[in-house]
Amino acid sequence: MKVNENKIVSIYDENNRDTVGEFLDEILEQSLKSSEAEMHLLYIQKAFEILRYHPLESILHKKIDVLITFQGYPRLKSYEVVKLLSVYPIYELRYAMNGNMHLRFLFFPMKHNGLSYYVFAKQFIKTRRPNVDQTNQMRDLAYQMYEDVLRNPGQYLEGTD
């Protein structure tokens, strides 16, 4: 049985920065020194894996079991991994780092040359205390990036295989 695979790519933003890639590099570096960062990295990697191998429709608006093995023991979180934001087609890949810090990766689906892509455009952390929520601002910036990719998908997607 062939499994459809969605290509996951991150792109440079309006400031010519790959904030998603930079964050992932940073947490990878931290995971070498901190078991807490290692656990976060494992959950983030698993969330990306779920997105990579499942169509959006199958995981949207559903609690998904995210199972990792950390220090030899299984760990399970069940939560809504992907959420559609109020501006279509911008979605967020979600991960709660703790009760206060909530990591968000904003992305949009894109088809190009017969391939399915999830294009990651923005990353940020929401907090409850103090209440810091950049969702609307980041969503709007991600939508502008979506329009840029839509105008010239080859510039952003070719050579990402």
Side-chain angles (χ1 to χ4, degrees), residues 20 83 85 90-93 104-108 119-124 134-143:
V20 173
K83 180 180 174 186
L85 298 182
I90 306 301
Y91 295 83
E92 63 181 11
L93 185 68
R104 302 295 187 248
F105 295 100
L106 302 191
F107 71 97
F108 48 87
V119 182
F120 282 79
K122 289 289 181 183
Q123 168 277 321
F124 62 98
Q134 298 174 288
T135 303
N136 292 346
Q137 174 191 4
M138 293 296 185
R139 176 207 59 212
D140 294 345
L141 291 170
Y143 187 81

Side-chain angles (χ1 to χ4, degrees), residues 25-43:
D25 288 345
E26 183 180 311
I27 195 136
L28 175 62
E29 182 73 25
Q30 291 173 4
S31 74
L32 301 174
K33 302 171 192 144
S34 159
S35 60
E36 182 181 19
E38 179 186 1
M39 183 182 63
H40 292 319
L41 178 63
L42 290 170
Y43 274 116

